[in-house]
Amino acid sequence: MSNKKNADFDAIVIGAGFAGIYALYKLRNELGLSVRVFDKAGGVGGTWYWNRYPGAMSDSEGFIYQYSFDRDLLREWTWEKRYLSQKEILAYLERVVERHDLSEDIQLRTSVESAVYDETEGLWTVATGTGEAFTSRYVVTALGPLSTSHFPDFKGRDSFEGRIVHTGSWPDDLQIEGKRVGVIGTGSTGTQFVCAAAKVAGHLTVFQRTPQYNVPSGNAPLDEDYFIKLREDYDRIWDQAKKSRVACGFEESQTAAMSVSASERQRVFQENWERGNGFRFMFGTFSDLIFDPEANKEAADFIKSKIDEIVEDPETARKLQPTDYYAKRPICNEDYYESYNRENVSLVSLKETPIREITPKGLVTEDGVEHELDVLVFATGFEAVEGSYRQLDIRGRGGVTLEEHWGDAPSSYLGVNVSGFPNMFMVYGPNSVFSNLPTAIETQVEWITDLVSMVEERELPSIEPTLKAEEEWTDLCAEIAGNSLFPKVDSWIFGANIPGRKKRVLFYFAGLGNYRQKLRDVAEADYEGFLLGEDREAVS
Ligand code: FAD
Ligand code: NA7
């Protein structure tokens, strides 16, 4: 039986971003549980609390980069442009917290160090860096898929006399106006930073290792009429997004690229280039860019031709040309390639001249050139999905740590549960659906709420998946990924950005619609794959 009386809280939630905020709302406001949320940050917002670098914004469109549940807020909330700035998203999440009186149950500036399960009591003990410890029956880890920075330790890094910073913890007092700025990394974050910094820095030096495919975002101001139409359309928008693959708010193409003529392909690419948005270009042009190498090459060649067209200096254009498949998380920006036509922007290809060391004055590349800098920005990404879990001491049945259970590659059942870790629920854990995140997060938090509600109603001691279900889900995710071109390219979506780490599958690539159907199927089959109070040894 569940141990209601002896616990400090019914549920402890770790993290106060999109996921933790909604988990608190659902578990407290809807199920009536007592809940405490911990976050090490000084405010709510998660990603949008930490990532304050110039140019930080969503590259999912604003209308879909929100919760769908708060219909009243959808009717009131407005924003300036097609994409949301970091400030707007942070203000939005703060507003959600305020509207639903959530802050009283959120304890900020409190890192969680460990979560240990006591099998006899059926309780979790969560210990914090402030020296406190609390018990709960349920633990929801809303740690964030991109919340542990990857900060490569180049030789001499600590000797730099200017400001050195990772984009994921940008300090409020750091201004770059008029300064000599260097940025390492040209992923989604690095390219956003380049677009913003190019306009204000005295000089911007971009240190690029692997060039990526950028398409325009089509960012533009929105008017009142836009919001009037949008509000009338929200029911359709959410319905469509939740049935779609990437939940980005557009109709995904059902047409194979090579099934149409060459001129039609160009027309479709050009039309979508003009409309803007990275996910739209990858999934809205043709149905098979990520499956068919030939189709992928057509899209890649189109973008490459645009680079040559836009970038005036042929040598810079050459260095910007990607050589891999177009198969990383897609990137879009307002004027990335145009930024290189400015006199104050220069590009260093680290493939040609790698970083030798960081010096007190700047950064020296293998050709012996010292790039003198006032500010050095690491836009070097994150230890995605599993990073924040591996920093926590999580112990399930028999004192087994999550680290031990996972070994060198993480696993889960449905991205949420792990065998041997009863009543622990991950929001956006390993092998969650690859899509626009707020919509995926809502799906999982609602699923977790259903599971907890079912455990409460049936008065079960706990819930956890079988090892078999976890293995089968993990294998299925690997199989789906293997049918696409995604794993053929190294990037954070396979953990391949962390040196020495073997490539692993971190996402379910079959789309949100299919994922939601799978959850419905599991529930209808009386929570197939879960142990509902049965003897674990007998079933596994
Ligand atoms: P987070 O927002 O990361 O929140 C996790 C919280 O957990 C953090 O506040 C962290 O401090 C806290 N935490 C972690 N470990 C501990 C611990 N041990 N103790 C206490 N607290 C802890 N996604 C999209 O779909 N579209 C986009 O356009 C998009 N743009 C992005 C741009 C950037 C720059 C970044 C970094 C990410 C972007 N993402 C985007 C992904 C983004 O992370 C998610 O959309 C979403 O914000 C994740 O919310 P979350 O609550 O799951 O995690
Ligand atoms: P990414 O996409 O992982 O990009 C990191 C960038 O940093 C990428 O260009 C890397 O080059 C580069 N990098 C990483 N390590 C090094 C070293 N050691 N030397 C040189 N260059 C390096 O992270 P982002 O933050 O841009 O984006 C992650 C997600 O966050 C994104 O999809 C959004 O959802 C927000 P590489 O390609 O590895 O050669």
Side-chain angles (χ1 to χ4, degrees):
M1 285 296 298
S2 54
N3 197 339
K4 282 196 180 186
K5 270 186 262 153
N6 294 337
D8 293 318
F9 302 101
D10 293 321
I12 286 177
V13 176
I14 312 169
F18 264 101
I21 291 170
Y22 192 43
L24 172 59
Y25 172 82
K26 291 288 285 183
L27 296 176
R28 193 196 73 176
N29 293 23
E30 284 192 19
L31 293 192
L33 301 185
S34 65
V35 184
R36 170 74 59 89
V37 179
F38 295 104
D39 200 306
K40 59 188 168 195
V44 300
T47 291
W48 306 100
Y49 172 87
W50 293 108
N51 288 266
R52 296 170 188 234
Y53 58 87
M57 61 167 72
S58 71
D59 63 5
S60 299
E61 289 196 46
F63 73 89
I64 201 83
Y65 196 73
Q66 314 186 49
Y67 297 117
S68 68
F69 83 92
D70 192 336
R71 295 299 166 111
D72 292 339
L73 188 52
L74 288 173
R75 273 192 287 275
E76 288 169 18
W77 191 249
T78 57
W79 53 97
E80 272 186 28
K81 291 183 168 183
R82 189 169 160 191
Y83 298 88
L84 304 166
S85 68
Q86 171 268 332
K87 279 198 176 72
E88 286 176 311
I89 307 169
L90 186 58
Y92 167 80
L93 289 170
E94 286 169 348
R95 180 84 179 275
V96 172
V97 168
E98 188 197 310
R99 281 169 58 77
H100 300 288
D101 294 324
L102 300 175
S103 61
E104 66 201 44
D105 292 309
I106 303 176
Q107 185 172 326
L108 298 167
R109 294 180 193 83
T110 309
S111 70
V112 169
E113 308 286 311
S114 65
V116 178
Y117 187 67
D118 179 332
E119 285 187 69
T120 321
E121 295 290 325
L123 291 180
W124 284 92
T125 300
V126 170
T128 69
T130 51
E132 297 168 290
F134 302 93
T135 53
S136 66
R137 290 183 291 133
Y138 305 103
V139 165
V140 177
T141 52
L143 307 180
L146 297 159
S147 59
T148 295
S149 298
H150 170 52
F151 199 7
D153 189 13
F154 296 107
K155 185 178 166 206
R157 195 183 68 180
D158 297 337
S159 70
F160 185 58
E161 286 171 354
R163 295 288 292 272
I164 194 162
V165 63
H166 190 282
T167 47
S169 48
W170 189 273
D172 280 338
D173 69 338
L174 178 54
Q175 310 298 332
I176 56 166
E177 280 72 8
K179 297 197 174 135
R180 296 168 303 172
V181 180
V183 57
I184 305 173
T186 52
S188 174
T189 302
T191 55
Q192 283 188 350
F193 178 77
V194 167
C195 295
K199 297 179 181 82
V200 296
H203 190 87
L204 176 68
T205 311
V206 184
F207 298 96
Q208 166 198 271
R209 191 164 64 180
T210 314
Q212 291 206 44
Y213 296 92
N214 262 268
V215 306
S217 61
N219 203 13
L222 305 171
D223 58 20
E224 222 172 283
D225 197 38
Y226 171 88
F227 287 101
I228 293 169
K229 289 192 186 123
L230 180 65
R231 285 178 193 138
E232 286 166 4
D233 206 19
Y234 264 127
D235 285 342
R236 186 201 59 79
I237 288 170
W238 294 121
D239 185 56
Q240 189 275 339
K242 288 174 188 180
K243 287 180 181 146
S244 71
R245 176 184 280 273
V246 289
C248 285
F250 58 83
E251 289 296 336
E252 291 146 11
S253 173
Q254 305 300 323
T255 307
M258 306 314 287
S259 71
V260 302
S261 67
S263 62
E264 174 61 5
R265 258 195 314 278
Q266 290 303 301
R267 190 196 64 73
V268 172
F269 286 142
Q270 181 63 31
E271 183 185 293
N272 283 278
W273 178 269
E274 284 163 19
R275 290 181 82 170
N277 189 274
F279 276 91
R280 183 190 285 274
F281 198 85
M282 186 176 269
F283 295 96
T285 49
F286 295 104
S287 60
D288 55 351
L289 297 191
I290 58 153
F291 299 109
D292 176 11
E294 212 184 340
N296 190 278
K297 185 173 180 311
E298 292 287 318
D301 285 348
F302 180 87
I303 301 173
K304 287 179 187 179
S305 72
K306 291 293 185 189
I307 300 173
D308 281 338
E309 222 173 279
I310 297 167
V311 180
E312 287 160 11
D313 173 40
E315 184 58 4
T316 305
R318 180 188 66 75
K319 289 180 186 165
L320 285 166
Q321 292 286 350
T323 51
D324 298 330
Y325 283 118
Y326 176 44
K328 295 186 180 183
R329 182 193 180 278
I331 297 183
C332 64
N333 276 297
E334 229 168 292
D335 52 4
Y336 178 63
Y337 294 124
E338 288 82 351
S339 301
Y340 291 95
N341 293 336
R342 303 177 71 103
E343 290 205 341
N344 67 329
V345 178
S346 50
L347 177 68
V348 175
S349 165
L350 298 178
K351 286 261 151 92
E352 293 168 14
T353 51
I355 295 171
R356 182 186 291 170
E357 63 177 326
I358 294 172
T359 62
K361 283 189 179 162
L363 187 154
V364 179
T365 39
E366 282 299 347
D367 52 0
V369 174
E370 184 165 38
H371 304 269
E372 291 194 10
L373 303 167
D374 303 310
V375 180
L376 178 54
V377 178
F378 279 55
T380 43
F382 300 88
E383 198 179 335
V385 182
E386 67 202 278
S388 298
Y389 285 86
R390 293 200 186 270
Q391 290 189 347
L392 251 175
D393 182 11
I394 303 180
R395 290 168 194 261
R397 288 189 192 279
V400 174
T401 65
L402 190 62
E403 189 77 13
E404 285 163 349
H405 177 80
W406 278 353
D408 58 10
S411 55
S412 75
Y413 182 41
L414 304 169
V416 173
N417 292 93
V418 183
S419 164
F421 295 79
N423 286 358
M424 183 184 100
F425 305 92
M426 304 179 290
V427 191
Y428 221 70
N431 292 333
S432 293
V433 61
F434 181 78
S435 72
N436 176 53
L437 261 90
T439 328
I441 284 170
E442 271 191 317
T443 296
Q444 288 194 329
V445 171
E446 285 159 16
W447 171 247
I448 291 166
T449 308
D450 287 350
L451 292 178
V452 169
S453 169
M454 185 265 292
V455 170
E456 294 281 301
E457 273 167 25
R458 297 189 192 183
E459 298 192 338
L460 301 174
S462 65
I463 184 169
E464 66 183 287
T466 63
L467 189 57
K468 183 167 171 277
E470 182 177 332
E471 285 170 355
E472 282 174 1
W473 180 252
T474 306
D475 290 347
L476 177 69
C477 291
E479 189 188 321
I480 294 166
N483 289 334
S484 76
L485 298 171
F486 283 128
K488 298 204 182 299
V489 181
D490 285 348
S491 79
W492 66 267
I493 58 176
F494 290 90
N497 60 327
I498 304 300
R501 189 166 275 183
K502 83 168 196 193
K503 232 167 162 174
R504 72 276 319 286
V505 175
L506 292 173
F507 293 95
Y508 169 79
F509 285 104
L512 185 62
N514 288 329
Y515 179 75
R516 290 173 66 91
Q517 184 58 49
K518 172 71 183 172
L519 297 185
R520 282 193 290 273
D521 292 346
V522 168
E524 273 164 27
D526 198 26
Y527 298 95
E528 187 178 30
F530 284 101
L531 292 169
L532 305 177
E534 300 98 318
D535 181 353
R536 189 166 180 265
E537 301 301 322
V539 177
S540 295

